[in-house]
Amino acid sequence: MIISSKIRLRDKRLADALDDYMWRTDAELARLDAAPLLTTTFSRYLSDYADELRYSIRHRFAVETLDGKHIGNCSYYSIDEAKDEAELGIMIGNRDYWDKGYGTDTVTTLVNYIFHQTKLKRIYLKTLDSNIRAQKCFQKCGFTPYGHMVRDGFSFTLMEINRKQWQEQQTET
Ligand SMILES: CC(C)(COP(=O)(O)OP(=O)(O)OC[C@H]1O[C@@H](n2cnc3c(N)ncnc32)[C@H](O)[C@@H]1OP(=O)(O)O)[C@@H](O)C(=O)NCCC(=O)NCCS
């Protein structure tokens, strides 16, 4: 369990399945994430869920409020040990918690965790060019844009933070 000022990050568990299913079948969330909308039934989703938790090579965390409400998920993945880098992902699925600093606190907490607990030197992410909320959130966490990419007809802004930048930010605060 990783605790911060607004949120805590904990390991994913089977009881998260219904929230995750609701978020994966939400058309607006899928659009914001440029992800395919899940169309399977909940019972089929649930039957694969335990395996996904057990065997996924993603480092996945549930995002909870300090009073224990599950509001989203975050992760880091695609770890490249030669380049010492990984990709970061986040989704605050519960709309009641948008634009209140939960995303910023989550990303800052995960970045701090990664740079403290691993030897990774660079964390990068991609978000749709049109997703200004996400870009603003990532900028507040110290990420800077470094390029653009088009994939499957979607246009993404690429952002990154490296260990040196992160260390400099630690001494500034
Ligand atoms: C993207 C996401 C992680 C951001 O988390 P959040 O808790 O909503 O964001 P925060 O409140 O920490 O920061 C958002 C900032 O963007 C600002 N913002 C929101 N919409 C904006 C807009 N259209 N134009 C300019 N600024 C905007 C907010 O005011 C806030 O800035 P402030 O703190 O200076 O006021 C979260 O909203 C989310 O998961 N959304 C749904 C899925 C999604 O977008 N997925 C893609 C992730 S790559």
Side-chain angles (χ1 to χ4, degrees), residues 18-168:
L18 184 57
D19 286 340
D20 288 350
Y21 179 77
M22 297 303 286
W23 298 333
R24 294 279 310 276
T25 54
D26 181 312
E28 185 188 20
L29 290 176
R31 186 179 53 75
L32 286 168
D33 217 16
L37 187 65
L38 192 71
T39 53
T40 187
T41 62
F42 179 63
S43 59
R44 169 68 64 85
Y45 181 76
L46 189 58
S47 72
D48 295 338
Y49 196 83
D51 281 348
E52 199 185 317
L53 289 187
R54 195 171 304 125
Y55 300 118
S56 174
I57 53 169
R58 272 187 183 228
H59 295 263
R60 304 177 62 196
F61 300 92
V63 182
E64 288 186 347
T65 58
L66 294 181
D67 57 2
K69 185 170 181 55
H70 180 215
I71 60 168
N73 298 301
C74 64
S75 61
Y76 65 100
Y77 53 98
S78 299
I79 295 171
D80 184 327
E81 290 183 351
K83 293 183 179 169
D84 274 336
E85 63 184 26
E87 184 161 358
L88 182 145
I90 177 173
M91 186 196 52
I92 302 296
N94 187 322
R95 289 171 177 71
D96 294 346
Y97 292 85
W98 289 359
D99 291 336
K100 293 176 180 161
Y102 286 90
T104 300
D105 199 30
T106 298
V107 173
T108 301
T109 303
L110 183 57
V111 166
N112 288 345
Y113 173 83
I114 293 168
F115 283 136
H116 278 300
Q117 300 297 328
T118 78
K119 63 182 186 63
L120 294 175
K121 292 190 183 126
R122 175 177 177 261
I123 306 167
Y124 60 94
L125 57 81
K126 61 179 179 306
T127 187
L128 287 170
D129 288 348
S130 56
N131 196 338
I132 306 301
R133 175 188 291 116
Q135 288 163 44
K136 196 149 176 218
C137 166
F138 299 136
Q139 274 165 9
K140 287 196 292 173
C141 302
F143 283 78
T144 52
Y146 70 94
H148 287 275
M149 176 182 96
V150 176
R151 195 161 81 187
D152 300 331
F154 295 106
S155 184
F156 293 95
T157 296
L158 310 175
M159 302 182 80
E160 66 182 348
I161 184 169
N162 63 46
R163 184 177 285 275
K164 191 162 173 286
Q165 291 167 324
W166 171 77
Q167 277 166 338
E168 285 165 2

